[in-house]
Amino acid sequence: MLADSISFKDTGYFSNLILDYLEQKQEVKHLYNRYPELENFKKQIEEKQSEYNEEHRKILVDSLRAQYHGIEVSEATDANLNSLAQTKTFTITTGHQLNLFTGPLYFLYKIISTVNLTKKLKASYPDYNFVPVYWMATEDHDFEEINFFNFKGKKFQWNKEVSGAVGALSTEGLQEVFDLLNLELGVGSDADELRRLFEEAYLKHDTLDAATRFLANEIFGAYGLVIVDGNDRGLKRLFSPYAADELLHQHSYNAVVDIVEDLSSRGYGVQVNPREINLFYLKEGLRERIVKTDDGFVVNDTELKFSKTEILKELHDYPERFSPNVLLRPLYQEVILPNLCYIGGGGELAYWLQLKSFFNKVGVVFPILLLRNSALLVSGKEDDKLKRLEISYPLLFLKRHSFINRRVREISDIDINFDPQRAHLKNQFEGMYALAEKTDETFLNAVKAQEVKQLKGLDKLEKRLLKAQKRKLSDEVSRMTAIQETLFPNGNLQERTKNFSEFYAENGKALLRELFEDLDPLKEAFLIVKL
């Protein structure tokens, strides 16, 4: 059940750029098209419908059917695949890396947010169809970011030497990971289901992209999720005119670099800095940057080089060899999908917010951007502990030092707050200042110095008293820190560290049912879900 919620701002875990976006501040309105409110989707539908053509739909459906070849497809997903051929069907998309066994818990939140938004849109716009899409980041090449997951405080890691796009990686070597996980899962039908999922996905599929598709389809197929692999020749051909434009004119760099300067001047952090060319060259075991030279193009750290004519011919003959990077991938997605909205985390939306002027330049509709749901999952036992300790959910989001200090002040049998003493001291010095103003400046400075010294003395005494109370209440402090560490491992959000398997082992399919019930994609708050 949904136990509580707190504002994203009060969590302390979101950037100023994202918080200002959520508040729709004037300073960031030029960075997006429409804000994610139900009434704004009508114009987004009309705009996308006028841009997206039937030829793209046919190629998209044909490519997706080929990608699903040999996979058992649910009735809901099959219906959505068929629906994509219709002009009144649109997608809501989220994307994620091919993390081992789904990686961090928020993988679930992304997809559930996406599915739930399609339901809300269908209720508001019954004449249209809305399909939830999971975009697999098969062309990424940062293996160290995806080769592990955590289960009950233990890290399960897949170690191997790799190169090239991760989607094509062989799953060889994952038997050892499974054997270690198997020892930790325990007994029961839910633990057996986790064993089956891992074994079927990673030990019975040859590549990481096939394993990830199977796993996501097993978990979410019943909800109609459509899984897209962008590493597809037919889909890349649709994108090839934009890839050619990138090679010849570098519009992405020229547009985004201005936004980067704008964001920096306003004090916002910059998520991604553009390169002159934001394309990689992709072949088996190879994914390297394409670099423009005085007489053509080279592939970084290789002997490959092309003249202008040669690289355009290569793009025409082998569009699948041209892989968009993090800044160009959003454009690729929006070109090939009839998409209305992208759902992502704070870091993802931060780089999407750098791209609107680039989309305008190349004439592609910029999607609505929605911050995915975030949640803290709390078991019944953990909830009982929090109640006994009289710890509210918002208090848990404080950093460890502030959390302990706040609670010690609250539960102490003496007043640790010296603010009344500070006020009294300042009041006494007001008379001294009045006297000093009648003398010379050196005496006035002496009074100021003495006030500062005595206020610092009070600060030190307050800290010593707080430290003494911590020792006196050490048992209470130990219990407080233990429950916070359980819910915020190593001071991080639970959703960024723990894996779904830890909660599935305890709750089974009820975990998904609860999350689908509680996660409202349009509720702008960090949710507390009691399992």
Side-chain angles (χ1 to χ4, degrees), residues 7 21 49 63 81 87 91 124 129 164 193 217 220 244 274 287 362 376 395 401 454 487 501 520:
S7 72
Y21 173 64
Q49 194 169 35
S63 293
L81 287 169
T87 58
T91 60
S124 295
N129 300 313
E193 175 65 6
N217 187 59
F220 293 108
R287 187 175 187 253
V362 296
L376 175 66
L395 197 63
H401 179 74
Q454 293 195 34
L487 295 172
S501 58
D520 180 350

Side-chain angles (χ1 to χ4, degrees), residues 174-192:
L174 282 169
Q175 178 71 53
E176 181 180 351
V177 178
F178 173 72
D179 291 341
L180 292 172
L181 176 63
N182 192 30
L183 296 174
E184 300 293 333
L185 281 174
V187 297
S189 59
D190 296 327
D192 288 341

Side-chain angles (χ1 to χ4, degrees), residues 256-528:
V256 175
V257 74
D258 290 338
I259 296 298
V260 166
E261 292 177 1
D262 175 59
L263 291 172
S264 297
S265 69
R266 296 171 184 269
Y268 296 121
V270 174
Q271 192 70 18
V272 180
N273 284 296
R275 296 187 182 277
E276 187 177 13
I277 293 178
N278 291 286
L279 285 170
F280 287 89
Y281 188 77
L282 180 68
K283 290 181 76 173
E284 184 176 353
L286 173 69
R287 187 175 187 253
E288 286 288 346
R289 290 188 294 114
I290 298 172
V291 179
K292 185 175 175 57
T293 64
D294 291 338
D295 56 354
F297 302 86
V298 298
V299 178
N300 193 51
D301 289 337
T302 74
E303 299 297 320
L304 293 169
K305 58 177 61 178
F306 303 88
S307 67
K308 173 183 170 182
T309 301
E310 288 170 339
I311 203 164
L312 292 177
K313 185 177 188 306
E314 183 81 354
L315 175 61
H316 178 270
D317 294 343
Y318 304 102
E320 68 276 13
R321 293 181 181 176
F322 292 79
S323 174
N325 76 352
V326 65
L327 280 180
L328 216 58
R329 186 201 64 76
L331 178 67
Y332 176 34
Q333 171 191 297
E334 296 303 310
V335 166
I336 68 175
L337 294 176
N339 196 50
L340 303 176
C341 175
Y342 184 78
I343 298 179
E348 290 176 282
L349 295 200
Y351 70 72
W352 274 87
L353 288 168
Q354 296 177 207
L355 298 175
K356 182 173 180 288
S357 61
F358 169 49
F359 272 65
N360 291 344
K361 180 68 176 178
V362 296
V364 176
V365 175
F366 195 65
I368 290 174
L369 302 178
L370 176 64
L371 184 64
R372 65 167 173 81
N373 283 127
S374 283
L376 175 66
L377 305 185
V378 182
S379 70
K381 290 182 179 179
E382 291 163 344
D383 185 64
D384 290 340
K385 285 183 181 178
L386 291 170
K387 288 176 179 175
R388 287 197 300 271
L389 292 168
E390 297 182 344
I391 297 173
S392 67
Y393 289 121
L395 197 63
L396 286 168
F397 286 82
L398 293 175
K399 301 303 180 186
R400 181 64 51 83
H401 179 74
S402 299
F403 170 67
I404 295 172
N405 288 351
R406 175 82 65 85
R407 281 299 294 149
V408 168
R409 291 177 187 275
E410 289 175 353
I411 66 178
S412 179
D413 56 1
I414 60 175
D415 189 1
I416 305 176
N417 186 351
F418 281 13
D419 284 347
Q421 287 82 0
R422 291 186 185 90
H424 180 67
L425 184 64
K426 289 180 179 180
N427 185 54
Q428 286 184 318
F429 269 91
E430 284 181 8
M432 297 290 289
Y433 280 122
L435 179 63
E437 287 174 356
K438 297 177 181 179
T439 61
D440 59 35
E441 186 176 349
T442 59
F443 185 65
L444 180 63
N445 291 337
V447 172
K448 288 181 179 178
Q450 190 62 223
E451 181 185 27
V452 170
K453 181 179 179 180
Q454 293 195 34
L455 286 172
K456 285 184 177 179
L458 280 177
D459 290 343
K460 289 179 180 179
L461 286 173
E462 186 180 62
K463 289 177 181 178
R464 289 190 66 175
L465 181 58
L466 181 59
K467 189 175 182 179
Q469 283 300 97
K470 286 181 185 178
R471 288 195 299 269
K472 182 180 177 181
L473 301 169
S474 59
D475 288 343
E476 189 90 359
V477 169
S478 178
R479 290 193 292 271
M480 290 188 300
T481 55
I483 187 66
Q484 191 191 41
E485 174 61 26
T486 298
L487 295 172
F488 290 77
N490 298 316
N492 296 317
L493 288 176
Q494 176 195 80
E495 64 181 31
R496 298 180 186 173
T497 54
K498 294 192 175 185
N499 180 264
F500 89 99
S501 58
E502 185 168 335
F503 300 92
Y504 196 97
E506 299 293 331
N507 300 276
K509 293 183 178 179
L511 171 66
L512 287 176
R513 290 196 296 270
E514 187 65 51
L515 291 176
F516 270 106
E517 178 69 25
D518 294 339
L519 300 191
D520 180 350
L522 299 179
K523 182 176 177 62
E524 294 181 351
F526 199 109
L527 309 177
I528 316 295

Side-chain angles (χ1 to χ4, degrees), residues 75-87:
E75 289 185 11
T77 296
D78 187 59
N80 279 339
L81 287 169
N82 289 332
S83 177
L84 282 169
Q86 302 168 15
T87 58

Side-chain angles (χ1 to χ4, degrees), residues 8-9 14-25:
F8 286 114
K9 184 176 184 179
F14 292 83
S15 71
N16 289 333
L17 176 60
I18 295 304
L19 294 176
D20 287 353
Y21 173 64
L22 294 175
E23 293 180 17
Q24 302 181 60
K25 287 190 174 181

Side-chain angles (χ1 to χ4, degrees), residues 26 46 83 95 144 150 155 184 250-251 270-271 280 375 483:
Q26 190 64 39
E46 293 170 352
S83 177
E144 286 71 25
N150 298 307
K155 184 177 182 178
E184 300 293 333
Q250 297 86 55
H251 287 313
V270 174
Q271 192 70 18
F280 287 89
I483 187 66

